[in-house]
């Protein structure tokens, strides 16, 4: 791989993301800022899942659970702030200084519990047990009648508040999410290049060999599971703020599937890959219906997944290296 | 009270039979070809749709049941030859994704063809009504028929796998595929055969499920996740494990939904109890699976695997 090429691409995309709001305003289509915000939030979750799937070889099929934990933390706090009621003696709040850190801590805690139990299993059993935990949280959220049950809840007071920043302004909110994304991406880049990152690569390649030289693979896997959970929890908290709405849908198992698709689409085991994958996925979701419509396939434009499914199958079968492979050439 | 328990127990066993019919194919395909097929639930759905449409056209339950099986078999054959056969040598991640994409395709295709409105089927006149069991409980005949059909399939499967040459090849292939291939068994043909057979069990279950639930897009996936729980509890690749897992899950799920609220009311105030019990009873089977996996990470009846 060509490193100059790579870092140029990275810096270029960074600048592009920063300039994006101006571009959209110049184009007169500032509604696209909301799509860009979704892209940045979803990308955080995708990158965090890639730490598990791509870097450690842990196929987690329940990653959306952490999105739910983050989103419900923000949502429930906002709910009690609006109703001016308390939850276990604590009053609700809209303050982002409390809600977002709390979302991160709670998702770390949930990831610690799920991880410590799930990581006792391997291979297909791991896929299934993470799927089960995801389902459990889904049904837990569905059963929270107080917070809207199946239908979820609106955040009537709007987004979280922060000193010096108005998150209800969509451009300021975009930059807020972008800052989190760049921070998380930078952290992950450092992480995968560190000694710990090498340990993860060794787990992916051969677990037994690693434990025979005295490194506990269980402990390392648990650490990365918690880190990935925090990433998704953060994305969930931002996503709740973005839509000002929280519902069990965010933890539905197809959400976990979507996240996996995004990682593969972009190219797993590369941090930039999942970001490209998210970009392509949202692009397809927004524009595939329009493209199909303009080609005269009106029926299919409503049912774009009918076209998306086969495309995805072809990608999985024949283009495993994803978009990353197309842009940078095969790395591994 | 006994009456209520017995009735719920039978309901649980009947759900278990559905789960078994779908799990049997899933566990065979996984055990023999090492493929996770998320789209297995779609075959259940195809069976249900075929049944609903054919019985709507002909008016005959039995004819529709007989005719829906070839429809499922044909769909399964196409799916196996076009997509699944390319996944045998791939890792689980690719299989999960490709079959997930297949679900998107099949569900969306079904929506295009038949719309989002659920179809409904009536219980055939011959099987409607109830019978009295043990003199205590009167139970719908149709549900008893399903339990009987499930047990019959379990018996047939057991005979095929334990007593016939084909079964011997399947058992050997589950343990070590390469060796069986070296010994001159046509693995490609066997793969297709097992996949289509497994699909037909699922389709059969789908056809029978018509009168009990609404026939709609997405009906397969909810069941599929339950079936994964069954085969994971039972140990992947084991038919015996699938049967045991399916009945356990069926009974635990049904009993949980019926009795968890009553039990919780004894400890909590009614409002809190009703809130928690809905969630708790849906989570019960996942809790069970997690406990099983934590204690025995490869399920209750793990299949020995060579290589």
């Amino acid at each position: 791989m060509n490193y100059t090429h790579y870092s140029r691409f990275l810096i270029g995309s960074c600048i592009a993301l920063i300039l994006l709001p101006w571009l959209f305003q110049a184009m007169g289509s500032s509604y696209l800022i909301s799509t860009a915000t979704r892209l940045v939030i979803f990308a955080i979750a995708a990158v965090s899942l890639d730490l598990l799937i791509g870097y450690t070889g842990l196929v987690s099929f329940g990653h959306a659970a952490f999105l739910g934990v983050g989103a419900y933390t923000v949502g429930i706090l906002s709910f009690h702030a609006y109703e001016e009621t308390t939850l276990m003696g604590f009053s609700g709040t809209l303050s982002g200084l409390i809600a977002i850190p709390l979302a991160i801590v709670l998702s770390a805690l949930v990831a610690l519990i799920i991880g410590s139990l799930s990581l006792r299993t391997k291979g297909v059993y791991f896929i299934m047990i993470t799927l089960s935990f995801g389902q459990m949280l889904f049904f837990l959220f569905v059963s929270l009648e107080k917070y809207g049950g199946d239908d979820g809840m609106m955040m009537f007071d709007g987004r979280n508040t922060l000193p010096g920043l108005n998150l209800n302004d969509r451009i300021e909110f975009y930059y807020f999410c972008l800052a989190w994304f760049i921070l998380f991406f930078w952290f992950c880049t450092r992480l995968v290049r560190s000694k710990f990152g090498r340990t993860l690569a060794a787990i992916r390649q051969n677990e037994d060999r690693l434990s025979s030289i005295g490194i506990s693979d269980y402990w390392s896997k648990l650490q990365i599971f918690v880190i990935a959970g925090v990433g998704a929890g953060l994305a969930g908290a931002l996503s709740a703020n973005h839509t000002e709405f929280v519902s069990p849908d965010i933890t539905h198992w197809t959400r976990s599937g979507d996240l996996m698709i995004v990682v593969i689409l972009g190219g797993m085991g590369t941090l930039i890959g999942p970001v490209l994958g998210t970009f392509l996925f949202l692009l397809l979701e927004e524009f595939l219906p329009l493209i199909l419509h303009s080609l005269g396939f009106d029926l299919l434009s409503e049912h774009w997944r009918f076209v998306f499914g086969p495309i995805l199958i072809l990608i999985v079968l024949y283009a495993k290296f994803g978009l990353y492979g197309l842009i940078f050439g095969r790395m591994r | 009270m006994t009456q209520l328990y017995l009735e719920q127990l039978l309901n649980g066993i009947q759900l278990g039979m559905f789960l078994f019919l779908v799990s049997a194919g899933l566990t065979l395909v996984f055990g023999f070809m090492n493929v996770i097929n998320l789209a297995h639930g779609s075959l259940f759905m195809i069976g249900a749709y075929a049944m609903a449409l054919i019985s709507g056209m002909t008016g005959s339950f039995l004819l529709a049941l007989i005719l829906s099986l070839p429809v499922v078999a044909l769909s399964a054959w196409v799916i196996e030859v076009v997509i699944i056969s390319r996944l045998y040598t791939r890792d689980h991640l690719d299989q999960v994704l490709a079959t997930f994409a297949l679900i998107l395709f099949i569900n969306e295709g079904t929506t295009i063809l038949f719309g989002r409105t659920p179809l409904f089927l009536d219980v055939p006149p011959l099987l409607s009504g109830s019978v009295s069991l043990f003199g205590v409980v009167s139970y719908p005949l149709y549900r008893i028929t399903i339990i009987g059909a499930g047990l019959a399939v379990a018996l047939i499967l057991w005979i095929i796998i334990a007593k016939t040459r084909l079964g011997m090849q399947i058992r050997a292939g589950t343990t070590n595929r390469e060796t069986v291939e070296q010994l001159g068994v046509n693995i490609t043909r066997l793969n297709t055969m097992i996949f289509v057979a497994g699909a037909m069990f699922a389709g059969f279950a789908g056809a029978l499920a018509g009168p009990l639930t609404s026939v709609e897009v997405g009906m397969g996936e909810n069941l599929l996740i339950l079936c994964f729980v069954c085969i994971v509890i039972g140990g992947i690749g084991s038919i015996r494990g699938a049967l045991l897992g399916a009945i356990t899950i069926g009974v635990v799920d049904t009993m949980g939904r019926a009795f968890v609220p009553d039990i919780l009311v004894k400890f909590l105030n009614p409002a809190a109890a009703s809130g928690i019990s809905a969630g708790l009873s849906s989570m019960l089977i996942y809790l069970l699976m997690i406990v099983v996996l934590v204690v025995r990470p490869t399920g209750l009846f793990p299949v020995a695997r060579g290589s």
Side-chain angles (χ1 to χ4, degrees):
Chain A
M1 187 179 69
N2 188 336
Y3 268 102
T4 11
H5 187 35
Y6 179 80
S7 39
R8 255 186 227 146
F9 183 85
L10 214 57
I11 294 167
S13 350
C14 233
I15 294 173
L17 282 173
I18 290 171
L19 294 180
L20 216 50
W22 277 295
L23 186 71
F24 287 150
Q25 257 164 0
M27 282 160 59
S29 43
S30 49
Y31 67 94
L32 282 175
I33 291 173
S34 176
T35 310
T37 312
R38 262 184 80 200
L39 163 73
V40 173
I41 294 172
F42 207 1
I44 296 177
V47 169
S48 75
L49 181 61
D50 191 32
L51 291 177
L52 295 179
I53 293 185
Y55 283 93
T56 324
L58 291 171
V59 181
S60 167
F61 204 165
H63 211 54
F66 306 113
L67 284 176
V69 173
Y72 268 87
T73 308
V74 169
I76 289 173
L77 285 177
S78 146
F79 176 86
H80 285 289
Y82 177 72
E83 293 229 309
E84 295 179 348
T85 49
T86 56
L87 176 69
M88 292 185 259
F90 294 98
S91 61
T93 176
L94 268 185
S95 167
L97 290 180
I98 297 173
I100 292 173
L102 190 64
I104 289 175
V105 170
L106 284 180
S107 44
L109 206 64
V110 173
L112 188 68
I113 296 168
I114 295 182
S116 59
L117 294 173
S118 307
L119 288 167
R120 292 172 51 93
T121 62
K122 288 191 166 66
V124 64
Y125 290 96
F126 181 77
I127 301 180
M128 293 307 151
I129 199 170
T130 47
L131 177 63
S132 292
F133 272 115
Q135 287 293 99
M136 269 182 63
L137 278 174
F138 176 76
F139 287 119
L140 177 71
F141 293 136
V142 167
S143 73
L144 296 176
E145 293 289 341
K146 191 173 180 185
Y147 307 113
D150 249 340
D151 303 321
M153 58 182 154
M154 300 282 294
M155 289 166 60
F156 291 110
D157 281 336
R159 294 175 182 158
N160 283 155
T161 53
L162 280 174
L165 209 59
N166 176 16
L167 295 186
N168 285 310
D169 177 271
R170 58 181 170 190
I171 294 182
E172 283 184 44
F173 184 66
Y174 170 75
Y175 282 119
F176 179 68
C177 295
L178 183 63
W180 274 113
F181 167 69
I182 292 176
L183 185 72
F184 187 70
F185 192 88
W186 172 80
F187 169 76
C188 291
T189 314
R190 295 296 301 257
L191 186 82
V192 299
R193 289 185 188 160
S194 68
K195 180 163 175 279
F196 181 60
R198 305 274 170 225
T199 311
L200 298 181
I203 290 174
R204 193 186 65 239
Q205 285 155 12
N206 192 331
E207 274 178 39
D208 300 333
R209 198 179 295 162
L210 195 72
S211 38
S212 70
I213 58 169
I215 300 173
S216 158
D217 60 316
Y218 179 82
W219 181 232
S220 310
K221 285 195 282 192
L222 189 56
Q223 279 174 303
I224 196 67
F225 197 86
V226 171
I227 292 171
V230 164
L234 171 67
L238 293 176
S239 165
N241 270 303
H242 180 46
T243 51
E244 297 172 36
F245 172 70
V246 180
S247 83
D249 256 0
I250 198 171
T251 41
H252 198 255
W253 70 279
T254 50
R255 277 266 139 193
S256 300
D258 285 345
L259 279 174
M260 283 168 86
I261 288 176
V262 157
V263 172
I264 302 301
L265 210 58
M268 60 173 191
T270 67
L271 290 174
I272 197 98
V275 184
L276 296 170
T278 313
F279 184 66
L280 184 68
F281 188 80
L282 293 183
L283 215 62
L284 283 174
E285 200 180 66
E286 295 261 325
F287 296 111
L288 193 58
L290 296 180
I291 295 169
L292 289 169
H293 179 76
S294 65
L295 288 175
F297 300 111
D298 274 345
L299 183 66
L300 289 182
S301 79
E302 188 196 339
H303 303 286
W304 62 280
R305 284 179 187 268
F306 188 70
V307 181
F308 183 63
I311 295 177
L312 189 65
I313 293 175
L314 288 176
I315 290 175
V316 171
L317 288 180
Y318 300 110
K320 193 63 196 304
F321 291 86
L323 280 178
Y324 185 92
L326 284 181
I327 297 175
F328 300 105
R330 294 191 174 195
M331 181 179 154
R332 294 208 170 113
Chain B
M1 202 60 191
T2 356
Q3 193 183 342
L4 186 62
Y5 276 115
L6 195 60
E7 202 174 306
Q8 292 299 340
L9 184 68
L10 285 170
N11 279 343
I13 294 173
Q14 177 249 306
L15 174 63
M17 285 304 154
F18 274 130
L19 293 174
F20 170 67
L21 286 172
V22 180
S23 306
L26 206 60
T27 202
L28 270 182
V29 168
F30 191 88
F32 189 75
M33 306 166 209
N34 204 13
V35 168
I36 305 177
N37 179 20
L38 293 184
H40 198 69
S42 301
L43 296 160
F44 174 83
M45 182 182 75
I46 292 174
Y49 267 92
M51 179 78 186
L53 291 171
I54 299 173
S55 77
M57 277 186 287
T58 63
S60 158
F61 182 86
L62 191 65
L63 189 66
L65 187 61
I66 294 168
L67 285 181
S68 60
L69 288 180
V71 174
V72 176
L74 188 68
S75 329
W77 182 74
V78 172
I79 291 174
E80 203 275 343
V81 171
V82 176
I83 295 163
I84 305 286
S85 63
R86 289 168 215 278
L87 294 171
Y88 294 145
T89 52
R90 300 301 195 92
D91 57 23
H92 293 323
L93 181 64
D94 288 4
Q95 296 164 356
V96 166
L97 280 167
T99 52
F100 182 75
L102 197 58
I103 294 182
L104 298 182
F105 176 76
I106 295 176
N107 277 355
E108 215 59 59
T110 314
T111 314
I112 293 174
L113 286 176
F114 307 109
R116 286 183 218 283
T117 334
L119 305 175
F120 292 96
L121 259 172
D122 290 326
V123 175
L126 191 66
L127 295 175
S128 58
S130 323
V131 283
S132 174
L133 284 181
F134 319 114
V136 242
V137 56
S138 103
Y139 199 69
L141 183 58
Y142 188 72
R143 288 176 185 262
I144 294 177
T145 316
I146 289 174
I147 296 178
L151 288 176
V153 168
L155 187 69
I156 294 169
L157 257 177
W158 178 76
I159 291 172
I160 292 175
I161 288 184
K163 303 284 176 196
T164 64
R165 190 178 171 78
L166 177 69
M168 203 161 69
Q169 290 172 347
I170 294 175
R171 275 180 290 141
T174 306
T175 309
N176 194 326
R177 220 177 130 82
E178 283 78 14
T179 311
V180 176
E181 202 166 9
Q182 292 294 312
L183 291 173
V185 175
N186 185 344
I187 284 278
T188 321
R189 215 192 56 191
L190 204 55
N191 282 340
T192 314
M193 228 161 77
I194 292 176
F195 189 84
V196 171
M200 282 169 74
F201 293 135
F204 181 60
L208 287 179
L212 293 180
T213 55
S214 55
V215 178
E216 61 189 334
V217 172
M219 66 187 288
E221 280 81 71
N222 297 331
L223 194 75
L224 181 86
I225 297 182
L226 288 184
C227 289
F228 272 121
V229 174
C230 299
I231 68 171
V232 163
I233 286 181
I236 292 172
S238 153
I239 293 281
R240 190 174 48 150
L243 181 61
L244 191 90
I247 293 178
T248 312
I249 291 298
V251 170
V252 169
D253 192 51
T254 314
M255 296 294 236
R257 278 171 211 281
F259 300 115
V260 163
D262 296 345
I263 296 167
L264 280 181
V265 161
K266 290 183 180 141
F267 300 103
L268 298 161
N269 66 56
S274 79
I276 298 173
S277 60
L280 190 65
S281 48
S282 331
M283 292 196 301
L284 212 54
I285 50 166
Y286 300 105
L287 282 172
L288 180 71
M289 163 176 169
I290 288 158
V291 170
V292 169
L293 280 191
V294 166
V295 179
R296 296 193 61 150
T298 48
L300 295 176
F301 297 103
V303 171
R305 204 180 264 284
S307 68

